[in-house]
Amino acid sequence: MNTRGRHLLVEYTGCDASVLDDLKRIEALMNQAAKAARTNIVASVFQPFEPQGVTGVVVVEESHLSIHTWPEHGYAAVDFFTCGEAIPEMAHRVLSEGLRAERAEVIFVDRGISHIGPSMRMRSHSTEHYGERAYERASEHADIRAIEPMMAAHRS
Amino acid sequence: MNTRGRHLLVEYTGCDASVLDDLKRIEALMNQAAKAARTNIVASVFQPFEPQGVTGVVVVEESHLSIHTWPEHGYAAVDFFTCGEAIPEMAHRVLSEGLRAERAEVIFVDRGISHIGPSMRMRSHSTEHYGERAYERASEHADIRAIEPMMAAHRS
């Protein structure tokens, strides 16, 4: 079996604290993320933390996805590590939206045996800001509200 | 709660294939590693893979430890991610010895919210070779064997 793996280390900040503290919702999001990444779920463990927060891991045939949340800081530390043909970027998309993050910092590491040098390679280290995207969505909603009365007027 | 975390991504190569394919032994090693790192075990999941290999995660109060093995390549991809006062380096030591690895490639990433720039920082990326250490051990044994007859002769 090919050892090639792709590992995304992600720090989500500015997240919705109520989501970060909702064990069932976090578990559902992580399972949705595993499916979006086209992985096959083997088992999962999710635990609440006192006084708040959630920790959890989804073990998949293609490796694992993990999450640890700090609602009091609007922060989650997440890993998407997949081998084979899975697409960890899709899992990242599910989480960034599901947690309502304002920002994600992402380190992308290639893993797996290499016979020509180091196994691991940091492919990128980037920061994504979702403020504008959230603004665009708000604008779309505003447009719809503005357009609907016009369409209603047109129909009448 | 402090969000500061330390994450070791480790690629072990030249490992003992029989250990990598032994689910009970891998599970015991990972639990031993979690204790050595001074973490508190919450739950764990270990699964065999067909035709060979093991995948497993130990969820700890301080985050998680994970392992995925490819016995046919003498290779294991391991993560030690701990928050608080845990010592992931100690877990790494348990695994490097327990898997009888010839080499470990280690990326050390600092994680956790930072208010002065990026959250994550790659602290180091290094390769450790255990051939010499194994040689030193063999030498120690050789010395003991050489010394013992001398001591026996001295005693007689």
Side-chain angles (χ1 to χ4, degrees), chain A residues 3-16:
Chain A
T3 62
R4 177 177 172 268
R6 301 196 301 147
H7 188 164
L8 267 63
L9 296 83
V10 192
E11 310 268 282
Y12 295 106
T13 48
C15 303
D16 184 325

Side-chain angles (χ1 to χ4, degrees), chain B residues 47-104:
Chain B
Q47 296 278 341
F49 271 126
E50 291 300 332
Q52 52 186 327
V54 171
T55 202
V57 179
V58 181
V59 176
V60 296
E61 284 180 10
E62 299 79 4
S63 294
H64 73 270
L65 292 73
S66 67
I67 185 165
H68 310 289
T69 77
W70 284 257
E72 67 274 39
H73 295 289
Y75 165 71
V78 181
D79 285 81
F80 307 110
F81 178 18
T82 65
C83 301
E85 300 308 311
I87 312 162
E89 293 86 347
M90 294 303 292
H92 166 43
R93 179 180 291 185
V94 170
L95 264 288
S96 66
E97 294 185 355
L99 301 178
R100 296 182 189 150
E102 286 177 359
R103 196 183 88 139

Side-chain angles (χ1 to χ4, degrees), chain A residues 3-111:
Chain A
T3 62
R4 177 177 172 268
R6 301 196 301 147
H7 188 164
L8 267 63
L9 296 83
V10 192
E11 310 268 282
Y12 295 106
T13 48
C15 303
D16 184 325
S18 68
V19 175
L20 293 182
D21 202 30
D22 185 335
L23 189 140
K24 288 290 163 206
R25 198 151 164 189
I26 292 291
E27 183 168 0
L29 267 177
M30 290 295 282
N31 278 283
Q32 187 189 334
K35 286 171 194 158
R38 297 191 193 164
T39 63
N40 298 292
I41 298 169
V42 173
S44 62
V45 178
F46 282 84
Q47 295 278 342
F49 272 125
E50 292 300 332
Q52 53 187 328
V54 171
T55 201
V57 179
V58 181
V59 176
V60 295
E61 285 180 9
E62 298 79 4
S63 295
H64 72 271
L65 291 73
S66 67
I67 185 164
H68 310 289
T69 77
W70 284 258
E72 67 274 39
H73 295 288
Y75 165 70
V78 181
D79 285 81
F80 306 110
F81 178 19
T82 65
C83 300
E85 301 307 312
I87 312 162
E89 293 87 346
M90 294 304 293
H92 166 44
R93 179 180 291 184
V94 169
L95 264 289
S96 66
E97 294 185 355
L99 301 178
R100 297 183 188 148
E102 287 177 359
R103 195 184 88 139
E105 186 182 328
V106 185
I107 287 182
F108 185 170
V109 178
D110 283 317
R111 300 182 71 161

